[in-house]
Amino acid sequence: MGQDPGFTVRPGELTAAGTNAVAVAGKVPEETAKLAEPSGRAAGGLPGWRSAAALQRCGAAWRTVLDGLAADMESAGGNLLTCARAYLDADRLPPPAAAGTAVLGTGAPEASREAAASGQTGQAGQAAGAPL
């Protein structure tokens, strides 16, 4: 069995996706507001018909759903931006051995330096200096 290769994160791609999601989400309410006019115009052409009220309810339901989708997209985009920032900030932290933290969980800085120098895996299963 091979060793788990882990995964790679590209914060720039997370940032781009998050920025795009937030931008698109910001445009949706402006567009959904436009649903009222054609629905109202069509319903106005059906005086006395039950379908007129149903048409207006349908337009309102679509607006509610699309506005909810926009809120979800904005939240997801914000979460992607937060995640990208967390990865970038984590890359700026000193390596565990440099901070005096035991890589192998022994609590002894000497063991940490030896483990880091030999490339042994740490507590999180990552080799010292391995990419995320």
Side-chain angles (χ1 to χ4, degrees):
M1 272 189 146
Q3 187 176 11
D4 181 11
F7 61 96
T8 300
V9 173
R10 294 183 179 91
E13 290 179 13
L14 291 175
T15 299
T19 300
N20 287 335
V22 170
V24 170
K27 294 177 182 179
V28 172
E30 177 182 311
E31 295 300 317
T32 60
K34 296 176 184 177
L35 290 174
E37 183 185 338
S39 295
R41 209 173 36 244
L46 302 169
W49 289 79
R50 284 191 250 172
S51 57
L55 180 59
Q56 292 211 314
R57 285 192 309 273
C58 182
W62 269 108
R63 182 175 183 174
T64 299
V65 168
L66 292 172
D67 286 345
L69 174 64
D72 290 346
M73 280 178 31
E74 183 174 21
S75 176
N79 289 341
L80 287 170
L81 292 170
T82 299
C83 186
R85 172 60 41 208
Y87 278 110
L88 287 171
D89 289 346
D91 284 346
R92 291 185 188 102
L93 293 175
T101 303
V103 174
L104 295 177
T106 64
E110 297 79 21
S112 298
R113 284 191 289 279
E114 291 170 14
S118 69
Q120 293 178 3
T121 58
Q123 290 176 337
Q126 289 284 352
L132 292 176

